[in-house]
PDB file of all heavy atoms in Angstrom:
ATOM      1  N   ASP A  17     228.197  -0.189 259.171  1.00 47.00           N
ATOM      2  CA  ASP A  17     227.129   0.577 258.554  1.00 47.00           C
ATOM      3  C   ASP A  17     227.247   2.028 259.002  1.00 47.00           C
ATOM      4  O   ASP A  17     227.035   2.335 260.171  1.00 47.00           O
ATOM      5  CB  ASP A  17     225.772  -0.002 258.966  1.00 47.00           C
ATOM      6  CG  ASP A  17     224.617   0.666 258.245  1.00 47.00           C
ATOM      7  OD1 ASP A  17     224.858   1.439 257.305  1.00 47.00           O
ATOM      8  OD2 ASP A  17     223.468   0.401 258.637  1.00 47.00           O
ATOM      9  N   PRO A  18     227.590   2.959 258.092  1.00 48.00           N
ATOM     10  CA  PRO A  18     227.752   4.342 258.501  1.00 48.00           C
ATOM     11  C   PRO A  18     226.439   4.997 258.926  1.00 48.00           C
ATOM     12  O   PRO A  18     226.446   6.034 259.576  1.00 48.00           O
ATOM     13  CB  PRO A  18     228.329   5.032 257.269  1.00 48.00           C
ATOM     14  CG  PRO A  18     228.117   4.104 256.145  1.00 48.00           C
ATOM     15  CD  PRO A  18     227.935   2.743 256.707  1.00 48.00           C
ATOM     16  N   ALA A  19     225.319   4.397 258.571  1.00 48.00           N
ATOM     17  CA  ALA A  19     224.040   4.973 258.978  1.00 48.00           C
ATOM     18  C   ALA A  19     223.802   4.831 260.472  1.00 48.00           C
ATOM     19  O   ALA A  19     222.965   5.510 261.038  1.00 48.00           O
ATOM     20  CB  ALA A  19     222.904   4.306 258.201  1.00 48.00           C
ATOM     21  N   THR A  20     224.549   3.977 261.143  1.00 54.00           N
ATOM     22  CA  THR A  20     224.354   3.779 262.578  1.00 54.00           C
ATOM     23  C   THR A  20     225.150   4.773 263.413  1.00 54.00           C
ATOM     24  O   THR A  20     225.032   4.767 264.622  1.00 54.00           O
ATOM     25  CB  THR A  20     224.753   2.348 262.975  1.00 54.00           C
ATOM     26  OG1 THR A  20     226.128   2.151 262.669  1.00 54.00           O
ATOM     27  CG2 THR A  20     223.905   1.316 262.256  1.00 54.00           C
ATOM     28  N   VAL A  21     225.959   5.596 262.791  1.00 54.00           N
ATOM     29  CA  VAL A  21     226.761   6.562 263.532  1.00 54.00           C
ATOM     30  C   VAL A  21     225.958   7.845 263.701  1.00 54.00           C
ATOM     31  O   VAL A  21     225.487   8.425 262.733  1.00 54.00           O
ATOM     32  CB  VAL A  21     228.082   6.857 262.782  1.00 54.00           C
ATOM     33  CG1 VAL A  21     228.867   7.942 263.495  1.00 54.00           C
ATOM     34  CG2 VAL A  21     228.897   5.605 262.646  1.00 54.00           C
ATOM     35  N   ASN A  22     225.808   8.292 264.934  1.00 58.00           N
ATOM     36  CA  ASN A  22     225.158   9.561 265.227  1.00 58.00           C
ATOM     37  C   ASN A  22     226.264  10.564 265.462  1.00 58.00           C
ATOM     38  O   ASN A  22     226.969  10.514 266.472  1.00 58.00           O
ATOM     39  CB  ASN A  22     224.265   9.418 266.457  1.00 58.00           C
ATOM     40  CG  ASN A  22     223.456  10.672 266.715  1.00 58.00           C
ATOM     41  OD1 ASN A  22     223.725  11.735 266.162  1.00 58.00           O
ATOM     42  ND2 ASN A  22     222.458  10.537 267.578  1.00 58.00           N
ATOM     43  N   ILE A  23     226.440  11.503 264.539  1.00 57.00           N
ATOM     44  CA  ILE A  23     227.572  12.422 264.599  1.00 57.00           C
ATOM     45  C   ILE A  23     227.507  13.318 265.824  1.00 57.00           C
ATOM     46  O   ILE A  23     228.532  13.657 266.407  1.00 57.00           O
ATOM     47  CB  ILE A  23     227.678  13.247 263.286  1.00 57.00           C
ATOM     48  CG1 ILE A  23     229.001  14.000 263.205  1.00 57.00           C
ATOM     49  CG2 ILE A  23     226.519  14.204 263.158  1.00 57.00           C
ATOM     50  CD1 ILE A  23     230.180  13.120 263.071  1.00 57.00           C
ATOM     51  N   THR A  24     226.317  13.683 266.263  1.00 60.00           N
ATOM     52  CA  THR A  24     226.187  14.534 267.449  1.00 60.00           C
ATOM     53  C   THR A  24     226.699  13.802 268.683  1.00 60.00           C
ATOM     54  O   THR A  24     227.436  14.379 269.490  1.00 60.00           O
ATOM     55  CB  THR A  24     224.717  14.944 267.651  1.00 60.00           C
ATOM     56  OG1 THR A  24     224.219  15.473 266.428  1.00 60.00           O
ATOM     57  CG2 THR A  24     224.587  15.964 268.743  1.00 60.00           C
ATOM     58  N   ASP A  25     226.321  12.551 268.840  1.00 61.00           N
ATOM     59  CA  ASP A  25     226.803  11.773 269.982  1.00 61.00           C
ATOM     60  C   ASP A  25     228.307  11.567 269.913  1.00 61.00           C
ATOM     61  O   ASP A  25     228.995  11.646 270.926  1.00 61.00           O
ATOM     62  CB  ASP A  25     226.114  10.411 270.038  1.00 61.00           C
ATOM     63  CG  ASP A  25     224.637  10.521 270.372  1.00 61.00           C
ATOM     64  OD1 ASP A  25     224.243  11.589 270.915  1.00 61.00           O
ATOM     65  OD2 ASP A  25     223.904   9.559 270.091  1.00 61.00           O
ATOM     66  N   GLU A  26     228.811  11.295 268.731  1.00 60.00           N
ATOM     67  CA  GLU A  26     230.241  11.043 268.579  1.00 60.00           C
ATOM     68  C   GLU A  26     231.052  12.296 268.878  1.00 60.00           C
ATOM     69  O   GLU A  26     232.112  12.228 269.485  1.00 60.00           O
ATOM     70  CB  GLU A  26     230.553  10.533 267.160  1.00 60.00           C
ATOM     71  CG  GLU A  26     229.938   9.193 266.834  1.00 60.00           C
ATOM     72  CD  GLU A  26     230.456   8.073 267.711  1.00 60.00           C
ATOM     73  OE1 GLU A  26     231.651   8.086 268.053  1.00 60.00           O
ATOM     74  OE2 GLU A  26     229.664   7.187 268.052  1.00 60.00           O
ATOM     75  N   MET A  27     230.559  13.452 268.446  1.00 59.00           N
ATOM     76  CA  MET A  27     231.291  14.700 268.695  1.00 59.00           C
ATOM     77  C   MET A  27     231.260  15.064 270.173  1.00 59.00           C
ATOM     78  O   MET A  27     232.228  15.592 270.707  1.00 59.00           O
ATOM     79  CB  MET A  27     230.700  15.836 267.855  1.00 59.00           C
ATOM     80  CG  MET A  27     230.992  15.705 266.371  1.00 59.00           C
ATOM     81  SD  MET A  27     232.739  15.674 265.987  1.00 59.00           S
ATOM     82  CE  MET A  27     233.201  17.342 266.352  1.00 59.00           C
ATOM     83  N   SER A  28     230.140  14.803 270.848  1.00 61.00           N
ATOM     84  CA  SER A  28     230.072  15.140 272.272  1.00 61.00           C
ATOM     85  C   SER A  28     230.940  14.209 273.112  1.00 61.00           C
ATOM     86  O   SER A  28     231.384  14.584 274.185  1.00 61.00           O
ATOM     87  CB  SER A  28     228.620  15.097 272.754  1.00 61.00           C
ATOM     88  OG  SER A  28     228.132  13.775 272.668  1.00 61.00           O
ATOM     89  N   LYS A  29     231.218  12.999 272.623  1.00 62.00           N
ATOM     90  CA  LYS A  29     232.076  12.071 273.356  1.00 62.00           C
ATOM     91  C   LYS A  29     233.539  12.475 273.267  1.00 62.00           C
ATOM     92  O   LYS A  29     234.309  12.245 274.177  1.00 62.00           O
ATOM     93  CB  LYS A  29     231.936  10.650 272.790  1.00 62.00           C
ATOM     94  CG  LYS A  29     230.632   9.990 273.088  1.00 62.00           C
ATOM     95  CD  LYS A  29     230.610   8.618 272.456  1.00 62.00           C
ATOM     96  CE  LYS A  29     229.254   7.977 272.526  1.00 62.00           C
ATOM     97  NZ  LYS A  29     229.207   6.721 271.779  1.00 62.00           N
ATOM     98  N   GLY A  30     233.918  13.071 272.176  1.00 59.00           N
ATOM     99  CA  GLY A  30     235.322  13.374 271.940  1.00 59.00           C
ATOM    100  C   GLY A  30     235.765  14.647 272.617  1.00 59.00           C
ATOM    101  O   GLY A  30     235.057  15.285 273.398  1.00 59.00           O
ATOM    102  N   SER A  31     236.998  15.079 272.317  1.00 56.00           N
ATOM    103  CA  SER A  31     237.563  16.280 272.927  1.00 56.00           C
ATOM    104  C   SER A  31     236.948  17.547 272.344  1.00 56.00           C
ATOM    105  O   SER A  31     237.094  18.622 272.928  1.00 56.00           O
ATOM    106  CB  SER A  31     239.076  16.298 272.721  1.00 56.00           C
ATOM    107  OG  SER A  31     239.370  16.326 271.337  1.00 56.00           O
ATOM    108  N   PHE A  32     236.262  17.431 271.235  1.00 54.00           N
ATOM    109  CA  PHE A  32     235.627  18.586 270.636  1.00 54.00           C
ATOM    110  C   PHE A  32     234.213  18.780 271.157  1.00 54.00           C
ATOM    111  O   PHE A  32     233.471  19.589 270.607  1.00 54.00           O
ATOM    112  CB  PHE A  32     235.583  18.432 269.109  1.00 54.00           C
ATOM    113  CG  PHE A  32     236.939  18.438 268.476  1.00 54.00           C
ATOM    114  CD1 PHE A  32     237.454  17.287 267.932  1.00 54.00           C
ATOM    115  CD2 PHE A  32     237.695  19.586 268.453  1.00 54.00           C
ATOM    116  CE1 PHE A  32     238.697  17.281 267.360  1.00 54.00           C
ATOM    117  CE2 PHE A  32     238.940  19.589 267.882  1.00 54.00           C
ATOM    118  CZ  PHE A  32     239.446  18.440 267.329  1.00 54.00           C
ATOM    119  N   GLY A  33     233.828  18.081 272.192  1.00 52.00           N
ATOM    120  CA  GLY A  33     232.463  18.167 272.710  1.00 52.00           C
ATOM    121  C   GLY A  33     232.085  19.567 273.131  1.00 52.00           C
ATOM    122  O   GLY A  33     230.995  20.056 272.837  1.00 52.00           O
ATOM    123  N   SER A  34     232.980  20.265 273.820  1.00 55.00           N
ATOM    124  CA  SER A  34     232.658  21.622 274.265  1.00 55.00           C
ATOM    125  C   SER A  34     232.605  22.577 273.083  1.00 55.00           C
ATOM    126  O   SER A  34     231.780  23.484 273.049  1.00 55.00           O
ATOM    127  CB  SER A  34     233.686  22.086 275.296  1.00 55.00           C
ATOM    128  OG  SER A  34     234.978  22.051 274.705  1.00 55.00           O
ATOM    129  N   VAL A  35     233.462  22.370 272.102  1.00 54.00           N
ATOM    130  CA  VAL A  35     233.437  23.216 270.917  1.00 54.00           C
ATOM    131  C   VAL A  35     232.157  22.967 270.133  1.00 54.00           C
ATOM    132  O   VAL A  35     231.516  23.890 269.646  1.00 54.00           O
ATOM    133  CB  VAL A  35     234.677  22.940 270.030  1.00 54.00           C
ATOM    134  CG1 VAL A  35     234.606  23.727 268.736  1.00 54.00           C
ATOM    135  CG2 VAL A  35     235.935  23.255 270.799  1.00 54.00           C
ATOM    136  N   TRP A  36     231.775  21.711 270.030  1.00 51.00           N
ATOM    137  CA  TRP A  36     230.568  21.336 269.283  1.00 51.00           C
ATOM    138  C   TRP A  36     229.329  21.949 269.930  1.00 51.00           C
ATOM    139  O   TRP A  36     228.439  22.424 269.251  1.00 51.00           O
ATOM    140  CB  TRP A  36     230.467  19.820 269.217  1.00 51.00           C
ATOM    141  CG  TRP A  36     229.286  19.314 268.472  1.00 51.00           C
ATOM    142  CD1 TRP A  36     228.185  18.744 268.991  1.00 51.00           C
ATOM    143  CD2 TRP A  36     229.082  19.339 267.064  1.00 51.00           C
ATOM    144  NE1 TRP A  36     227.299  18.397 268.013  1.00 51.00           N
ATOM    145  CE2 TRP A  36     227.832  18.758 266.808  1.00 51.00           C
ATOM    146  CE3 TRP A  36     229.828  19.809 265.985  1.00 51.00           C
ATOM    147  CZ2 TRP A  36     227.312  18.629 265.530  1.00 51.00           C
ATOM    148  CZ3 TRP A  36     229.303  19.669 264.717  1.00 51.00           C
ATOM    149  CH2 TRP A  36     228.068  19.090 264.501  1.00 51.00           C
ATOM    150  N   LYS A  37     229.274  21.943 271.246  1.00 56.00           N
ATOM    151  CA  LYS A  37     228.122  22.510 271.938  1.00 56.00           C
ATOM    152  C   LYS A  37     228.097  24.022 271.817  1.00 56.00           C
ATOM    153  O   LYS A  37     227.046  24.650 271.845  1.00 56.00           O
ATOM    154  CB  LYS A  37     228.127  22.104 273.411  1.00 56.00           C
ATOM    155  CG  LYS A  37     227.832  20.634 273.611  1.00 56.00           C
ATOM    156  CD  LYS A  37     227.930  20.252 275.058  1.00 56.00           C
ATOM    157  CE  LYS A  37     227.720  18.743 275.200  1.00 56.00           C
ATOM    158  NZ  LYS A  37     227.998  18.287 276.553  1.00 56.00           N
ATOM    159  N   GLY A  38     229.255  24.633 271.661  1.00 56.00           N
ATOM    160  CA  GLY A  38     229.327  26.087 271.536  1.00 56.00           C
ATOM    161  C   GLY A  38     229.030  26.593 270.144  1.00 56.00           C
ATOM    162  O   GLY A  38     228.994  27.793 269.920  1.00 56.00           O
ATOM    163  N   VAL A  39     228.792  25.733 269.199  1.00 55.00           N
ATOM    164  CA  VAL A  39     228.528  26.152 267.824  1.00 55.00           C
ATOM    165  C   VAL A  39     227.131  26.743 267.697  1.00 55.00           C
ATOM    166  O   VAL A  39     226.914  27.703 266.979  1.00 55.00           O
ATOM    167  CB  VAL A  39     228.710  24.959 266.852  1.00 55.00           C
ATOM    168  CG1 VAL A  39     228.229  25.307 265.459  1.00 55.00           C
ATOM    169  CG2 VAL A  39     230.153  24.551 266.820  1.00 55.00           C
ATOM    170  N   SER A  40     226.189  26.188 268.402  1.00 53.00           N
ATOM    171  CA  SER A  40     224.804  26.640 268.310  1.00 53.00           C
ATOM    172  C   SER A  40     224.655  28.013 268.959  1.00 53.00           C
ATOM    173  O   SER A  40     225.063  28.210 270.105  1.00 53.00           O
ATOM    174  CB  SER A  40     223.893  25.628 268.996  1.00 53.00           C
ATOM    175  OG  SER A  40     222.590  26.136 269.067  1.00 53.00           O
ATOM    176  N   PRO A  41     224.075  29.016 268.252  1.00 55.00           N
ATOM    177  CA  PRO A  41     223.920  30.361 268.849  1.00 55.00           C
ATOM    178  C   PRO A  41     222.988  30.352 270.055  1.00 55.00           C
ATOM    179  O   PRO A  41     223.189  31.097 270.988  1.00 55.00           O
ATOM    180  CB  PRO A  41     223.330  31.205 267.727  1.00 55.00           C
ATOM    181  CG  PRO A  41     223.246  30.350 266.522  1.00 55.00           C
ATOM    182  CD  PRO A  41     223.623  28.977 266.891  1.00 55.00           C
ATOM    183  N   ALA A  42     221.991  29.509 270.061  1.00 54.00           N
ATOM    184  CA  ALA A  42     221.065  29.455 271.194  1.00 54.00           C
ATOM    185  C   ALA A  42     221.782  28.938 272.435  1.00 54.00           C
ATOM    186  O   ALA A  42     221.576  29.436 273.534  1.00 54.00           O
ATOM    187  CB  ALA A  42     219.875  28.575 270.855  1.00 54.00           C
ATOM    188  N   GLU A  43     222.649  27.940 272.265  1.00 51.00           N
ATOM    189  CA  GLU A  43     223.388  27.387 273.393  1.00 51.00           C
ATOM    190  C   GLU A  43     224.350  28.420 273.959  1.00 51.00           C
ATOM    191  O   GLU A  43     224.489  28.579 275.161  1.00 51.00           O
ATOM    192  CB  GLU A  43     224.158  26.134 272.968  1.00 51.00           C
ATOM    193  CG  GLU A  43     223.302  24.926 272.672  1.00 51.00           C
ATOM    194  CD  GLU A  43     222.685  24.347 273.928  1.00 51.00           C
ATOM    195  OE1 GLU A  43     223.328  24.395 274.995  1.00 51.00           O
ATOM    196  OE2 GLU A  43     221.552  23.859 273.834  1.00 51.00           O
ATOM    197  N   SER A  44     225.045  29.154 273.076  1.00 50.00           N
ATOM    198  CA  SER A  44     226.026  30.123 273.567  1.00 50.00           C
ATOM    199  C   SER A  44     225.344  31.324 274.202  1.00 50.00           C
ATOM    200  O   SER A  44     225.875  31.931 275.120  1.00 50.00           O
ATOM    201  CB  SER A  44     226.948  30.552 272.423  1.00 50.00           C
ATOM    202  OG  SER A  44     226.192  31.138 271.381  1.00 50.00           O
ATOM    203  N   ALA A  45     224.141  31.691 273.743  1.00 53.00           N
ATOM    204  CA  ALA A  45     223.404  32.799 274.351  1.00 53.00           C
ATOM    205  C   ALA A  45     222.927  32.419 275.739  1.00 53.00           C
ATOM    206  O   ALA A  45     222.889  33.257 276.638  1.00 53.00           O
ATOM    207  CB  ALA A  45     222.221  33.191 273.474  1.00 53.00           C
ATOM    208  N   LYS A  46     222.588  31.161 275.961  1.00 54.00           N
ATOM    209  CA  LYS A  46     222.169  30.703 277.285  1.00 54.00           C
ATOM    210  C   LYS A  46     223.333  30.733 278.254  1.00 54.00           C
ATOM    211  O   LYS A  46     223.184  31.030 279.423  1.00 54.00           O
ATOM    212  CB  LYS A  46     221.621  29.279 277.202  1.00 54.00           C
ATOM    213  CG  LYS A  46     220.278  29.176 276.547  1.00 54.00           C
ATOM    214  CD  LYS A  46     219.834  27.732 276.518  1.00 54.00           C
ATOM    215  CE  LYS A  46     218.603  27.565 275.663  1.00 54.00           C
ATOM    216  NZ  LYS A  46     218.227  26.152 275.530  1.00 54.00           N
ATOM    217  N   LYS A  47     224.528  30.434 277.772  1.00 53.00           N
ATOM    218  CA  LYS A  47     225.696  30.388 278.645  1.00 53.00           C
ATOM    219  C   LYS A  47     226.150  31.788 279.033  1.00 53.00           C
ATOM    220  O   LYS A  47     226.629  31.999 280.125  1.00 53.00           O
ATOM    221  CB  LYS A  47     226.841  29.651 277.938  1.00 53.00           C
ATOM    222  CG  LYS A  47     226.609  28.179 277.787  1.00 53.00           C
ATOM    223  CD  LYS A  47     227.785  27.548 277.108  1.00 53.00           C
ATOM    224  CE  LYS A  47     227.510  26.075 276.864  1.00 53.00           C
ATOM    225  NZ  LYS A  47     228.573  25.453 276.098  1.00 53.00           N
ATOM    226  N   GLU A  48     226.032  32.734 278.120  1.00 52.00           N
ATOM    227  CA  GLU A  48     226.512  34.086 278.372  1.00 52.00           C
ATOM    228  C   GLU A  48     225.342  35.068 278.254  1.00 52.00           C
ATOM    229  O   GLU A  48     225.157  35.709 277.221  1.00 52.00           O
ATOM    230  CB  GLU A  48     227.595  34.440 277.354  1.00 52.00           C
ATOM    231  CG  GLU A  48     228.746  33.456 277.346  1.00 52.00           C
ATOM    232  CD  GLU A  48     229.688  33.722 276.191  1.00 52.00           C
ATOM    233  OE1 GLU A  48     229.660  34.842 275.638  1.00 52.00           O
ATOM    234  OE2 GLU A  48     230.433  32.821 275.832  1.00 52.00           O
ATOM    235  N   PRO A  49     224.544  35.230 279.305  1.00 55.00           N
ATOM    236  CA  PRO A  49     223.369  36.090 279.190  1.00 55.00           C
ATOM    237  C   PRO A  49     223.717  37.562 279.046  1.00 55.00           C
ATOM    238  O   PRO A  49     223.001  38.307 278.413  1.00 55.00           O
ATOM    239  CB  PRO A  49     222.597  35.837 280.480  1.00 55.00           C
ATOM    240  CG  PRO A  49     223.530  35.175 281.405  1.00 55.00           C
ATOM    241  CD  PRO A  49     224.621  34.580 280.592  1.00 55.00           C
ATOM    242  N   GLY A  50     224.806  38.033 279.595  1.00 54.00           N
ATOM    243  CA  GLY A  50     225.122  39.467 279.538  1.00 54.00           C
ATOM    244  C   GLY A  50     226.068  39.803 278.424  1.00 54.00           C
ATOM    245  O   GLY A  50     226.525  40.942 278.335  1.00 54.00           O
TER     246      GLY A  50
END
C-alpha cells in the first residue's frame, strides 16, 4: 500500500537525509546564523 509510505521518513533514512533536511529555508537559516 503506497499510502503507508512516509516520504519524509524514507528520505531521512537514506543517504539523501542531509540534503533533504537542507532543502527547507528555515532549517538552513538555523544552521548558518551569520
Side-chain angles (χ1 to χ4, degrees):
D17 186 10
T20 61
V21 176
N22 186 346
I23 192 67
T24 309
D25 292 341
E26 296 297 324
M27 289 301 290
S28 65
K29 289 179 189 173
S31 61
F32 294 110
S34 59
V35 175
W36 180 253
K37 290 176 184 172
V39 171
S40 172
E43 290 290 326
S44 60
K46 288 180 190 175
K47 290 181 184 175
E48 304 171 19

